[in-house]
Amino acid sequence: MKKLLYLAPIALIAACSQPSAEETAFHVTLNYPNIEGQTVELQVSTDKGFEKADTETLVNGTVTLDVDSLEYPTLMLINLPDSRERFLVFGKSGNLTINASKEGAQTKHTYADGEFAEALNGYFNEKMNFQMNSQQLNQEFQQASMMGDSIMIVNLSQGFEKMMAQHQRALIDIAKENGAFGAFIALNELHSAEALTLDTIYQNIPVSAGKSPMVSELKQRVEVLKRVRIGEPLVDVAQPDTTGQLMRLSEQLGDSYTLVDFWASWCGPCRAENPNVVKAFELYKDKGFTVVGISLDRGKEEWVKAINDDNLTWAHMSDLQFWDSEPAAKYGVRSIPSNVMLDENGVIVAKDLREQELQDWLAERLN
């Protein structure tokens, strides 16, 4: 009993002691030599978009901006309206320093201090390296195309796929190791990641960041992707067909397999993949294979024209809501082309089969 009486006052003091305003404030210092007199804004991400939290002027190449209190780690921007430059900021309290410099027409920047400085540096270094390598590969691809070197084109395409996979793995590693910043990376970069990967990122986020809208969105995305994993039954959707009649996905299943194809008339990679889907449909339609196209178009005229131009002679549906497409949301689709393969019972048996992989998958099962 004496021990309890001793601890109670300490608990009371701890409960009544709130952090000071200075302890909860967030300060961002921008060091940008030779850039004088520019207005600098600190903008904070809210459910209404980015809102201005502070405005100061660069003096002697430096400026500090503040936001009084943030409930959770938050995405922010340092905005220079005159030069139209922006620097990503992420944090909750304490200090963050951005060191920027002009190198010709290019602006480079690094982060120091602050809880997420290392994460921000790692993220932008990975992005910059990937961009540089992509540009080099693109130049080689253009040269190979001009020379008509088909072997080199194939090798470069495979090289890009390998490079993209490495880039995604690097971003996943950064996301897993950096708490709430991982939610930002997952939602903005890892569009094709599966539920297990995203759930690992989510599980590494501290509970204290749980009220963050980005963390909540990541949690919802994980739940959606778990619902459409391989082995799960289809998520049924009903949308208008090209005549305006309501069509239900569950009523369009083939006798063997059904490819649910998310695409749009405005999507170049989708249109490039369409001949491959047409080939698969023509080869295996007599063996119970069919396709259901779900478009993320906005206009009916463009949608129907693309169907006719590309000879897509299977069932089609769309709510014409672009990225607000209800079926896309239910299947966790954040980039297109994307697809889901269903068996005759409506169970998901494969995802994102494209190019030769689609042909091989069907040949193995239907030939």
Side-chain angles (χ1 to χ4, degrees):
M1 181 64 71
K2 287 182 180 179
K3 187 173 183 180
L4 290 175
L5 289 171
Y6 176 73
L7 289 175
I10 296 176
L12 181 62
I13 293 170
C16 294
S17 298
Q18 297 297 323
S20 68
E22 182 59 30
E23 289 174 329
T24 59
F26 185 64
H27 313 283
V28 185
T29 297
L30 172 65
N31 295 320
Y32 204 165
N34 303 319
I35 306 295
E36 291 298 319
Q38 277 209 45
T39 298
V40 183
E41 301 171 346
L42 176 61
Q43 300 177 348
V44 178
S45 177
T46 71
D47 57 0
K48 299 177 182 178
F50 282 94
E51 296 185 352
K52 197 183 305 180
D54 194 11
T55 303
E56 297 289 346
T57 302
L58 267 166
V59 178
N60 296 325
T62 188
V63 64
T64 297
L65 301 102
D66 310 294
V67 57
D68 288 339
S69 180
L70 296 168
E71 188 177 358
Y72 39 75
T74 300
L75 180 68
M76 291 166 271
L77 291 173
I78 289 289
N79 181 42
L80 283 69
D82 292 344
S83 58
R84 297 184 179 180
E85 293 177 281
R86 288 183 171 184
F87 302 98
L88 186 72
V89 174
F90 196 85
K92 177 186 177 184
S93 60
N95 302 302
L96 180 69
T97 300
I98 304 174
N99 297 309
S101 62
K102 281 280 189 185
E103 296 187 12
Q106 188 177 18
T107 300
K108 292 189 175 182
H109 68 286
T110 59
Y111 298 86
D113 311 316
E115 179 182 359
F116 294 99
E118 185 177 347
L120 287 161
N121 283 328
Y123 170 70
F124 279 106
N125 285 339
E126 176 58 35
K127 293 269 289 180
M128 183 176 65
N129 290 335
F130 177 72
Q131 184 178 18
M132 291 173 58
N133 291 334
S134 296
Q135 289 174 347
Q136 177 62 35
L137 209 61
N138 186 54
Q139 290 176 2
E140 295 176 13
F141 187 88
Q142 290 178 352
Q143 291 175 356
S145 298
M146 290 175 62
M147 296 170 59
D149 191 337
S150 58
I151 295 176
M152 180 61 71
I153 290 173
V154 170
N155 289 338
L156 289 170
S157 298
Q158 292 174 346
F160 179 78
E161 290 176 4
K162 181 179 179 180
M163 187 173 68
M164 173 61 82
Q166 292 172 341
H167 177 56
Q168 291 286 292
R169 286 195 295 270
L171 290 173
I172 289 168
D173 289 342
I174 296 170
K176 286 179 180 178
E177 296 169 359
N178 288 287
F181 188 61
F184 167 79
I185 294 175
L187 295 172
N188 288 276
E189 303 286 354
L190 307 178
H191 303 304
S192 300
E194 292 293 337
L196 180 61
T197 297
L198 296 182
D199 196 28
T200 302
I201 294 169
Y202 173 73
Q203 295 299 332
N204 286 343
I205 297 173
V207 175
S208 59
K211 292 184 179 180
S212 161
M214 283 193 300
V215 174
S216 298
E217 185 179 348
L218 177 59
K219 181 182 179 182
Q220 293 171 3
R221 178 155 176 76
V222 170
E223 291 170 352
V224 167
L225 290 177
K226 283 182 177 180
R227 178 65 184 82
V228 292
R229 287 181 295 191
I230 291 175
E232 296 290 332
L234 67 82
V235 175
D236 205 8
V237 292
Q239 297 290 316
D241 64 14
T242 56
T243 68
Q245 297 297 309
L246 201 64
M247 175 187 293
R248 187 168 293 279
L249 175 60
S250 59
E251 297 173 354
Q252 301 299 318
L253 298 183
D255 293 335
S256 59
Y257 296 105
T258 302
L259 186 73
V260 183
D261 185 33
F262 292 89
W263 73 294
S265 67
W266 48 261
C267 169
C270 302
R271 303 294 294 274
E273 176 65 12
N274 278 346
N276 187 51
V277 182
V278 170
K279 177 183 177 182
F281 180 70
E282 294 298 331
L283 281 172
Y284 299 108
K285 64 182 180 181
D286 293 334
K287 297 184 178 182
F289 171 67
T290 192
V291 181
V292 177
I294 300 181
S295 169
L296 276 67
D297 270 288
R298 285 179 284 196
K300 183 176 179 180
E301 184 178 345
E302 295 86 352
W303 173 39
V304 173
K305 184 177 186 301
I307 290 171
N308 293 329
D309 288 349
D310 293 0
N311 195 32
L312 312 181
T313 57
W314 46 78
H316 293 273
M317 63 171 71
S318 179
D319 55 14
L320 299 176
Q321 293 298 310
F322 196 43
W323 285 111
D324 290 328
S325 161
E326 180 186 352
K330 288 186 174 181
Y331 277 85
V333 173
R334 295 175 71 96
S335 64
I336 52 176
S338 180
N339 60 55
V340 173
M341 186 74 79
L342 307 174
D343 69 8
E344 70 275 18
N345 298 312
V347 175
I348 298 170
V349 292
K351 298 179 75 174
D352 290 323
L353 297 170
R354 288 194 286 274
E355 299 176 350
Q356 189 59 41
E357 186 180 12
L358 173 62
Q359 305 297 331
D360 294 344
W361 193 94
L362 289 167
E364 183 179 340
R365 290 159 177 81
L366 296 178
N367 279 344

